Amino acid sequence: MGMLLAAGSVASAQPEQPHLILVSVDTLRADRLGSYGYGRDTSPNIDALLAEGARFDQTRTVEPLTAPGLTSLITGLYPHEHGATRNGITMRAGLPSLTKVLSRRGYLTGAFVGNWTLNDKLSGLAEHFDRYETILTKSRWLFWARESTAEDLNEAALAWFAERRQADPRQRLALWVHYVEPHAPYVNQTEFVERLGYGGRSSTKKSRYDSEVAYVDARIGELLEEVDRLLGDEPRLTVFTSDHGESLGEHGYWGHGRHTYEPGLRIPMGITWPGVIESQVLTAPALIIDIPSTVLGLLDLPAVPSFQGFDWAPVLLGAESPPAAR
């Protein structure tokens, strides 16, 4: 991309290389967040994060399933290209990825994920990280421990982050945390029900879904607060998104993965880098596979020819206008 451009300026010197924090939330609809127009107070921490930088209003996943969507997030490829076309089908080995590029550029990469479909034996994703940990401490489906709570994910991720910071404060870190909530079966997070305006113990699917969004939002706030404490004044580039959305009764359908309806495809996405990316809302269409190309563009690193996504960096930095069509 050449010389890095600061928003609203012609050119500037390369800023200090930031740490990368990638936060993804399973099964999260964009329209269930306050920043996307939802009327209930589900997402104060996510909304504050997205207000710091660029919020993409029209982002879609490439397939409404966890492993295909998140493998695309890491590799910049469509599912038919990386091979993980369904949950349980392992991606092709030896592919380039965002995290492999960052490792070669001196970053230490760590992933802490809480969905059983991301287990390395099923996904093959561990190849792309220096540390890859699937947290499978809790059962949401009664009979087996296949997923995690957000608290357990935060504990593991922050322990690694703090340990690496203490071992070498100069080391640049790239951390990915993938939360399971608000995946079905929706747990009624009672501590948030009153705040959301439902009153008492809410028992509808939609209200339980909202309480799960509020719950994971609180845990994301705790994660980012501790990351900031550990980093001090060092820069942080944060990417937020979801693997896919969720149908909440539209078209007579609940869930995801069997249909490509809009509620399952549209996802939130935001990129923040305080002091570099100005607060803005982008309405041009975006895809989850845009993230690897955009992060490399923001870090002023060479593009990877296999990446299929669009590089939004010149747009985010004020050097170009959003694409009129894609």
Side-chain angles (χ1 to χ4, degrees):
M1 181 181 125
M3 182 69 72
L4 185 63
L5 301 181
S9 69
V10 177
S12 68
Q14 173 76 36
E16 183 183 0
Q17 205 77 336
H19 300 268
L20 174 64
I21 309 297
L22 173 56
V23 176
S24 56
V25 177
D26 214 297
T27 322
L28 180 61
R29 291 170 59 130
D31 64 1
R32 240 46 190 192
L33 302 176
S35 47
Y36 285 84
Y38 196 44
R40 298 187 188 273
D41 189 20
T42 55
S43 52
N45 294 290
I46 295 171
D47 296 340
L49 172 67
L50 298 183
E52 291 180 358
R55 179 175 68 80
F56 293 78
D57 189 63
Q58 295 295 325
T59 305
R60 280 145 187 98
T61 190
V62 291
E63 184 178 339
L65 282 170
T66 296
L70 294 180
T71 304
S72 292
L73 166 66
I74 299 301
T75 64
L77 298 173
Y78 290 98
H80 72 275
E81 296 171 317
H82 59 59
T85 54
R86 300 290 293 179
N87 290 335
I89 299 179
T90 307
M91 67 184 294
R92 292 167 49 204
L95 293 174
S97 67
L98 168 63
T99 45
K100 282 185 176 180
V101 172
L102 294 179
S103 290
R104 290 197 299 269
R105 295 288 178 156
Y107 279 78
L108 192 67
T109 61
F112 297 84
V113 298
N115 189 308
W116 67 271
T117 65
L118 303 178
N119 187 306
D120 183 54
K121 292 181 179 179
L122 297 176
S123 70
L125 279 165
E127 173 192 334
H128 298 267
F129 294 87
D130 298 307
R131 171 77 174 272
Y132 187 85
E133 189 170 341
T134 313
I135 313 295
L136 302 176
T137 53
K138 296 290 189 296
S139 172
R140 295 172 66 84
W141 296 96
L142 297 180
F143 300 114
W144 51 82
R146 299 174 64 177
E147 292 169 336
S148 174
T149 65
E151 286 98 339
D152 289 344
L153 280 172
N154 279 2
E155 182 180 358
L158 290 170
W160 176 82
F161 201 86
E163 176 186 305
R164 294 297 91 209
R165 289 289 293 162
Q166 184 175 15
D168 184 359
R170 297 169 299 177
Q171 175 75 60
R172 281 301 182 256
L173 301 174
L175 171 66
W176 175 30
V177 182
H178 179 71
Y179 296 95
V180 177
E181 301 88 2
H183 197 290
Y186 320 124
V187 175
N188 194 30
Q189 304 287 350
T190 55
E191 62 186 297
F192 298 102
V193 169
E194 184 175 350
R195 190 187 86 188
L196 296 175
Y198 286 113
R201 287 183 58 86
S202 177
S203 60
T204 69
K205 287 184 178 180
K206 289 183 179 180
S207 62
R208 293 200 302 271
Y209 179 91
D210 284 354
S211 77
E212 290 257 72
V213 176
Y215 163 81
V216 77
D217 174 84
R219 304 293 85 80
I220 290 170
E222 292 166 0
L223 175 83
L224 296 179
E225 182 179 12
E226 181 62 12
V227 165
D228 280 345
R229 189 190 70 80
L230 290 167
L231 291 182
D233 294 332
E234 294 181 20
R236 166 172 64 94
L237 171 61
T238 307
V239 178
F240 175 83
T241 193
S242 175
D243 52 355
H244 53 75
E246 181 85 332
S247 287
L248 298 176
E250 297 90 352
H251 306 96
Y253 175 55
W254 289 85
H256 58 270
R258 296 184 180 181
H259 302 284
T260 52
Y261 295 132
E262 178 74 347
L265 293 174
R266 188 181 177 208
I267 57 174
M269 188 169 86
I271 301 177
T272 69
W273 186 355
V276 177
I277 299 175
E278 290 187 348
S279 177
Q280 57 194 288
V281 177
L282 297 163
T283 58
L287 285 170
I288 195 170
I289 60 169
D290 296 346
I291 289 173
S293 297
T294 301
V295 169
L296 292 186
L298 288 169
L299 298 179
D300 206 29
L301 297 177
V304 175
S306 65
F307 287 1
Q308 298 298 305
F310 180 75
D311 177 7
W312 287 89
V315 177
L316 301 183
L317 300 173
E320 294 181 8
S321 299
R326 293 188 65 192

